[in-house]
Amino acid sequence: MGGALRAPRAGRSNALHAGAWWVWALGLATAASRTTNPLLLGMLVGVAGYVVAARRTDAPWARSYGAFVKLGLAVIAVRLVFSVALGSPVPGTHVLVALPEVPLPDWAQGVRIGGRVTAEQMVFALYDGAKLATLLICLGAANALANPARLLKSLLPGALYEAGVAVVVAMTFAPNMVADVFRLRTARRLRGRPTGGVKAVLQIGLPVLEGALERSVAVAASMDARGYGRTAQVPPAVRHTTTALTLGGLLGVCAGSYGLLAAEGAGYGLPVLLGGFTAALGGLWLGGRRQVRTRYRPDRWGPRAWLVAGSGVVVAVLMIRAGAYEPAALHPGVVPLTAPALPLWPAAAVLVGLLPAFVAPVPPKEPSS
């Protein structure tokens, strides 16, 4: 029984669908957008980090999680600096420091530069910055776990094949360049050469650009060998119908979205949106007839993908529901200053996001040297 529940080794036959990782990460990000409680946000970051550590591969894009964590910390720092420099509408009585205030003209009323900095406004800025940082870190977890090439191959219709290939090449170019920089810096460190400073950066930059150029030429040659850009002959009537359906459908989606957002267009917004979406799908389906390619070994959405995606959806749904019953626990007050409390069942809902660390296939390990 235990062997049946143990996650298998990942292979081409049982690889988890990349879309499942994105659904899971978007569920965690949705939960983060519903709260400013730093304890819950810290739990969401911990859950995302644990799953990434347990299930990420050694691919170049899998190293992006650390960059998103640093970006999140930078967002918090910038939010605090803005709160100190530009002030905050949050009233406070605990003054930390009084900065010189710059006088502004009458047309800039409501905006100030400098002035009093209170503990309440700093705590409010910290909560707000932590919320945005958690959103970025959750999306970084999806970038570290999901193969971007396999995701686009699975989701993009045949009509957008050329655009999808271009996006895949663009998304894999930067991670490979980062991997080259890391490899060259490691080589310089092993040779006893400095890895910091302007001179070291210039010496590393030339091999990195040279490797990027060689990789681009190799990608172009492989795409040409595989028949990239070659399309089947389609009658003019089908081409015109495809263009009309696609453009008309996109216009319908825009008009329907505007109708749903505007108060006077609620009656026609939803039918126009659905009609435009259907027409756009029909245009994409007809446009896919131009492609003469077949899909080799398509990724399948299996039971483990449902469990991974479902865990993220459960976290989001439970957190949204908690916002209706315990809004004070999800948004701790700052006036007056109070220590945030950890609500039990929203915290338990966050822990559901750990499920992928136990059910997703285990990535293969590189052989030790």
Side-chain angles (χ1 to χ4, degrees), residues 65-87:
Y65 183 72
F68 277 89
V69 173
K70 294 177 182 178
L71 179 61
L73 295 176
V75 166
I76 296 176
V78 170
R79 183 65 179 86
L80 292 174
V81 170
F82 276 17
S83 179
V84 171
L86 303 179

Side-chain angles (χ1 to χ4, degrees), residues 18-30 142 301 305-306 308-313 316:
W21 287 122
W22 272 99
V23 174
W24 168 79
L26 290 175
L28 296 186
T30 302
W301 195 286
W306 283 110
V308 170
S311 64
V313 173

Side-chain angles (χ1 to χ4, degrees), residues 12 17-18 147-158 160-161 164-165 168 293-300:
R12 294 192 62 89
H17 198 287
N147 187 332
R150 300 185 71 87
L151 177 64
L152 288 172
K153 185 188 74 171
S154 302
L155 299 182
L156 281 180
L160 302 179
Y161 170 63
V165 173
V168 168
R293 67 188 181 94
T294 57
R295 183 166 294 178
Y296 178 64
R297 289 184 178 179
D299 293 336
R300 302 189 182 279

Side-chain angles (χ1 to χ4, degrees), residues 208-228:
V208 168
L209 293 177
E210 183 180 357
L213 180 60
E214 291 178 353
R215 190 162 47 247
S216 300
V217 173
V219 169
S222 64
M223 290 167 62
D224 182 69
R226 289 170 172 83
Y228 176 75

Side-chain angles (χ1 to χ4, degrees), residues 11 47 66 108 206 340:
V47 166
L206 183 59

Side-chain angles (χ1 to χ4, degrees), residues 181-229:
V181 172
F182 181 78
R183 176 175 53 82
L184 291 172
R185 291 188 63 184
T186 303
R188 290 179 63 86
R189 190 180 299 111
L190 292 175
R191 294 185 177 95
R193 298 180 181 178
T195 58
V198 178
K199 184 178 180 181
V201 171
L202 293 177
Q203 291 177 350
I204 292 174
L206 183 59
V208 168
L209 293 177
E210 183 180 357
L213 180 60
E214 291 178 353
R215 190 162 47 247
S216 300
V217 173
V219 169
S222 64
M223 290 167 62
D224 182 69
R226 289 170 172 83
Y228 176 75

Side-chain angles (χ1 to χ4, degrees), residues 4-364:
L5 296 177
R6 189 180 299 115
R9 287 284 179 179
R12 294 192 62 89
S13 60
N14 64 344
L16 194 70
H17 198 287
W21 287 122
W22 272 99
V23 174
W24 168 79
L26 290 175
L28 296 186
T30 302
S33 68
R34 310 298 295 187
T35 179
T36 56
N37 190 318
L39 301 179
L40 292 176
L41 294 176
M43 288 187 63
L44 286 169
V45 172
V47 166
Y50 182 82
V51 174
V52 169
R55 289 299 183 266
R56 72 174 175 180
T57 64
D58 296 319
W61 62 82
R63 302 170 185 170
S64 62
Y65 183 72
F68 277 89
V69 173
K70 294 177 182 178
L71 179 61
L73 295 176
V75 166
I76 296 176
V78 170
R79 183 65 179 86
L80 292 174
V81 170
F82 276 17
S83 179
V84 171
L86 303 179
S88 174
V90 177
T93 56
H94 299 79
V95 180
L96 299 178
V97 64
L99 300 176
E101 187 170 352
V102 178
L104 297 176
D106 295 337
W107 55 265
Q109 290 183 357
V111 179
R112 69 178 178 87
I113 300 178
R116 297 190 315 160
V117 179
T118 63
E120 287 83 355
Q121 79 177 59
M122 295 300 292
V123 172
F124 177 80
L126 178 63
Y127 289 174
D128 197 36
K131 176 181 176 180
L132 181 55
T134 306
L135 284 169
L136 292 174
I137 291 173
C138 291
L139 296 180
N143 279 276
L145 293 169
N147 187 332
R150 300 185 71 87
L151 177 64
L152 288 172
K153 185 188 74 171
S154 302
L155 299 182
L156 281 180
L160 302 179
Y161 170 63
E162 288 86 358
V165 173
V167 172
V168 168
V169 172
M171 292 180 67
T172 55
F173 180 81
N176 286 325
M177 183 176 290
V178 172
D180 288 344
V181 172
F182 181 78
R183 176 175 53 82
L184 291 172
R185 291 188 63 184
T186 303
R188 290 179 63 86
R189 190 180 299 111
L190 292 175
R191 294 185 177 95
R193 298 180 181 178
T195 58
V198 178
K199 184 178 180 181
V201 171
L202 293 177
Q203 291 177 350
I204 292 174
L206 183 59
V208 168
L209 293 177
E210 183 180 357
L213 180 60
E214 291 178 353
R215 190 162 47 247
S216 300
V217 173
V219 169
S222 64
M223 290 167 62
D224 182 69
R226 289 170 172 83
Y228 176 75
R230 301 171 188 173
T231 58
Q233 293 294 331
V234 178
V238 176
R239 292 202 306 269
H240 298 330
T241 304
T242 301
T243 303
L245 286 176
T246 304
L247 293 180
L250 293 178
L251 290 176
V253 169
C254 294
S257 301
Y258 176 80
L260 290 178
L261 295 176
E264 63 275 6
Y268 70 86
L270 184 58
V272 173
L273 177 63
L274 294 178
F277 187 71
T278 303
L281 287 180
L284 292 176
W285 177 77
L286 285 177
R289 297 176 59 183
R290 298 173 55 245
Q291 299 299 330
V292 293
R293 67 188 181 94
T294 57
R295 183 166 294 178
Y296 178 64
R297 289 184 178 179
D299 293 336
R300 302 189 182 279
W301 195 286
R304 295 184 185 274
W306 283 110
L307 290 174
V308 170
S311 64
V313 173
V314 168
V315 173
V317 170
L318 292 180
M319 191 65 70
I320 293 174
R321 189 168 182 82
Y325 290 93
E326 297 184 66
L330 298 187
H331 301 278
V334 296
V335 181
L337 282 174
T338 56
L342 181 64
L344 293 181
W345 74 271
V350 172
L351 294 178
V352 177
L354 289 172
L355 185 62
F358 305 99
V359 301
V362 181

